[in-house]
Amino acid sequence: MSPTKETSTNPFTLKERMKFPHQPMPEQAAELRIQNFGEVNLGYTEELARQEALRCLECAKCTCVEQCPVGVDVKEFVKLIVAGKLLEAAAKIRENNVLPAITGRVCPQENHCEGACLLHKKVDPLGIGYLERFVADYQQCVGARVAQKAPATGKKVAIVGSGPAGLSAAGDLVQKGHKVHVFEALHEIGGVLVYGIPEFRLPKQVVREQIDKMRDMGVQFETDVVVGKTVTIDELLEEEGYDALFIATGAGLPVFLGIPGEHLNGVYSANEFLTRINLMHAYEFPLYDEPIVDLRGKHVAVVGGGNTALDAIRSARRLGADKAYVIYRRSEKEMPARIEEVKHARQEGIEFRILTNPIKFLDDGRGWLGGTQCVQMELGELDDSGRRRPVPIAGSEFEIPLQAVVIATGTSANPLIQSTTPGLKTSKGGYIEVDGESQRTSCKSVFAGGDIVTGGATVILAMGAGRRAAKSIHEYLTTGEWAENPIKS
Ligand code: FAD
């Protein structure tokens, strides 16, 4: 099915549309959901989706589309919902986004399409993420097949890493008729989508369904392959006959605070904590007996204010934590987490200790965490990130009793591939350097994108990089030209 431009069937004037209330997302009640790992957001019904879609102003200049890193044609897919052509709406989204059921759930729309929605100048923006999720789930539910691909080109592309950057590139390249093989170090496909983001925000089944669709399209996946150890980049290109290669290995290396007491039992990196819960099934205890410290009745904190921090602390709450704190050194305004996650965390009884910084973890006398010593902060001048720098207030130290703490203040690049690929140029922080939008690296036939280039970012930005890389790889494979590259090894 290849939908063309839909004529508007919205019978309402712009004034009337402005008056329609935004349809909230039905959700599990907070007191119930803290006792399970089931999805918080339950999804629109067909009726709710149509009501929300009718609010679209169908602007001549679609700022929402301009702000989408993968260029989803929002106006057209929303018009198709209004017209009741739901499968065509799903196909319209899939022209630019191979993972709509995922982005509809976790993309920070407030920073992209919804942030740019003209309705937002006066009222709530259009619920674009909720609508995207609705049509993607509808397509899955009725079992519709995805678009056909182009005839085989005979070219082979290797993709290293199966997170959103790798998957997005794989989807676009296979559509263009190339043979695509994805290598993944872990035993499950999906990157952060499966090992980081918990079930209550992004059910693993949803990720698996999207990946199955990609398998149907012809993408081949191989797990338990650590590129740089099992096989090198040079071997893939020179011995295994790949014509091009895309590195999409993310930035999953934990970063610690470097404060006293970080070695104590009960101190986790967010990466370890969430991997134990998600990938090793601690969330299905007692069905899976994955060792994680028993959090029932305990006081637990997370340090950090991003999506990772909130996922960790909301998971701890579901695993029985009695008191659950977010310790964040700036104010709530600077928190990088999605607005919806902060709202949901508050509803679940998470306490926010903002303008607070831990300076020491305290031993309970038996080698386990007993608490943390913190200092109160205030905001000073702007720093390099454009946010006001947090500055400690002298003499404001205080303690919080805790039995577990999760450090979620950021991650960095895993150096394995960089150190085993001669000539691959990296920045000081170990991230791979690319030639602007082309995503080309300093090594011929090798492209890179996603968190391994930008540092920890978002699903949709990683997908945008995957799409750009796919476009450049396709050009390279069809022309055979590797133009002068300003990135020199
Ligand atoms: P990743 O998703 O990290 O995938 C990289 C993959 O490469 C991994 O599967 C890894 O195992 C594999 N790999 C690494 N090295 C090798 C190797 N040598 N050989 C083979 N495979 C390798 N963003 C949002 O937009 N919304 C959210 O709500 C959100 N929540 C988040 C919650 C958590 C807990 C975390 C950690 C991040 C969250 N993010 C969110 C950020 C987002 O998930 C990342 O920006 C995005 O996943 C980056 O995609 P990627 O493809 O670059 O890397």
Side-chain angles (χ1 to χ4, degrees):
M1 189 180 342
S2 145
T4 47
K5 281 208 182 302
E6 177 72 20
T7 318
S8 177
T9 53
N10 193 329
F12 298 100
T13 64
L14 295 188
K15 262 193 175 166
E16 286 169 327
R17 295 182 206 183
M18 299 272 297
K19 287 192 185 136
F20 291 150
H22 166 61
Q23 299 300 317
M25 169 61 76
E27 57 189 39
Q28 259 203 89
E31 57 281 11
L32 192 70
R33 69 182 189 239
I34 56 167
Q35 297 172 47
N36 66 62
F37 271 80
E39 206 174 358
V40 172
N41 286 345
L42 300 174
Y44 274 166
T45 58
E46 205 167 323
E47 182 50 31
L48 284 176
R50 191 177 140 76
Q51 286 300 322
E52 184 64 18
L54 283 169
R55 298 178 63 231
C56 181
L57 299 178
E58 297 173 359
C59 309
K61 185 175 179 314
C62 297
T63 42
C64 53
V65 182
E66 285 167 14
Q67 290 303 314
C68 173
V70 296
V72 168
D73 193 342
V74 177
K75 178 163 86 175
E76 285 305 310
F77 98 74
V78 174
K79 276 203 261 176
L80 286 159
I81 297 178
V82 171
K85 298 178 180 174
L86 301 180
L87 287 179
E88 286 184 47
K92 179 52 82 182
I93 298 173
R94 279 189 174 275
E95 284 176 6
N96 300 293
N97 178 352
V98 287
L99 306 171
I102 293 168
T103 49
R105 284 171 166 83
V106 303
C107 184
Q109 287 94 6
E110 63 261 30
N111 300 334
H112 299 288
C113 53
E114 293 182 16
C117 173
L118 280 196
L119 277 172
H120 198 19
K121 293 203 162 159
K122 296 244 154 83
V123 290
D124 285 329
L126 185 68
I128 299 167
Y130 293 168
L131 291 172
E132 181 176 70
R133 168 192 165 143
F134 166 73
V135 285
D137 287 356
Y138 180 86
Q139 187 188 40
Q140 180 62 32
C141 197
V142 300
R145 289 189 66 80
V146 292
Q148 295 301 306
K149 57 181 183 180
T153 61
K155 301 284 182 188
K156 269 172 61 172
V157 184
I159 295 187
V160 185
S162 68
L167 292 175
S168 164
D172 281 6
L173 286 164
V174 86
Q175 286 279 10
K176 293 194 180 342
H178 306 301
K179 209 166 177 190
V180 179
H181 199 127
V182 179
F183 297 95
E184 168 56 51
L186 296 173
H187 62 277
E188 272 219 41
I189 301 294
V192 169
L193 305 176
V194 288
Y195 81 75
I197 304 181
E199 190 72 15
F200 56 83
R201 277 211 300 133
L202 180 59
K204 280 160 217 3
Q205 184 56 23
V206 171
V207 181
R208 280 187 205 117
E209 285 163 359
Q210 302 289 300
I211 288 162
D212 285 346
K213 281 204 164 29
M214 299 188 69
R215 275 202 184 92
D216 285 350
M217 288 158 68
V219 178
Q220 286 180 297
F221 293 99
E222 196 172 334
T223 53
D224 302 310
V225 181
V226 184
V227 175
K229 267 206 165 121
T230 326
V231 61
T232 65
I233 299 280
D234 286 351
E235 283 164 358
L236 286 170
L237 290 169
E238 285 155 25
E239 293 169 26
E240 308 231 356
Y242 286 95
D243 300 291
L245 188 144
F246 178 49
I247 305 176
T249 46
L253 204 66
V255 170
F256 285 92
L257 298 172
I259 63 173
E262 228 165 359
H263 63 282
L264 291 167
N265 289 311
V267 179
Y268 290 90
S269 73
N271 191 303
E272 178 189 349
F273 188 76
L274 286 168
T275 302
R276 280 177 184 271
I277 291 171
N278 292 317
L279 213 54
M280 297 162 86
H281 299 268
Y283 76 96
E284 288 181 275
F285 179 83
L287 208 60
Y288 287 79
D289 190 16
E290 166 53 24
I292 191 161
V293 66
D294 185 356
L295 299 178
R296 285 172 295 180
K298 304 276 172 59
H299 293 196
V300 184
V302 69
V303 185
N307 289 316
T308 310
L310 292 196
D311 282 345
I313 200 66
R314 293 174 69 201
S315 297
R317 188 89 171 107
R318 283 161 173 77
L319 289 170
D322 189 28
K323 284 252 175 211
Y325 306 101
V326 170
I327 301 179
Y328 182 58
R329 62 190 186 136
R330 301 177 197 256
S331 76
E332 192 169 325
K333 208 169 121 232
E334 284 83 28
M335 267 193 175
R338 295 177 71 222
I339 293 171
E340 185 174 61
E341 310 317 326
V342 176
K343 182 187 92 181
H344 282 159
R346 284 196 191 287
Q347 290 169 347
E348 291 164 14
I350 312 283
E351 282 181 44
F352 285 73
R353 296 290 185 100
I354 54 162
L355 289 167
T356 301
N357 203 26
I359 48 176
K360 186 179 183 183
F361 293 127
L362 308 168
D363 194 330
D364 72 348
R366 290 168 298 143
W368 284 83
L369 182 75
T372 175
Q373 189 177 24
C374 296
V375 64
Q376 212 65 61
M377 311 292 277
E378 61 187 350
L379 294 179
E381 298 297 308
L382 293 185
D383 66 12
D384 293 347
S385 70
R387 297 176 296 175
R388 290 177 64 195
R389 187 188 303 279
V391 185
I393 302 174
S396 65
E397 290 80 4
F398 66 100
E399 288 181 11
I400 306 175
L402 292 174
Q403 288 85 47
V405 70
V406 183
I407 315 295
T409 48
T411 50
S412 66
N414 187 316
L416 180 62
I417 289 192
Q418 296 83 316
S419 63
T420 53
T421 312
L424 186 64
K425 186 152 186 223
T426 56
S427 67
K428 266 198 192 133
Y431 297 102
I432 298 176
E433 288 200 18
V434 295
D435 173 16
E437 299 262 297
S438 81
Q439 308 296 137
R440 288 183 309 164
T441 69
S442 54
C443 294
K444 190 168 179 221
S445 315
V446 180
F447 300 74
D451 282 5
I452 189 57
V453 168
T454 56
T458 62
V459 168
I460 199 74
L461 288 174
M463 288 179 66
R467 292 213 82 193
R468 288 194 299 278
K471 187 166 172 276
S472 301
I473 292 171
H474 179 63
E475 275 165 20
Y476 171 56
L477 295 180
T478 42
T479 63
E481 281 167 25
W482 185 266
E484 179 76 22
N485 190 337
I487 310 275
K488 297 259 170 22
S489 56

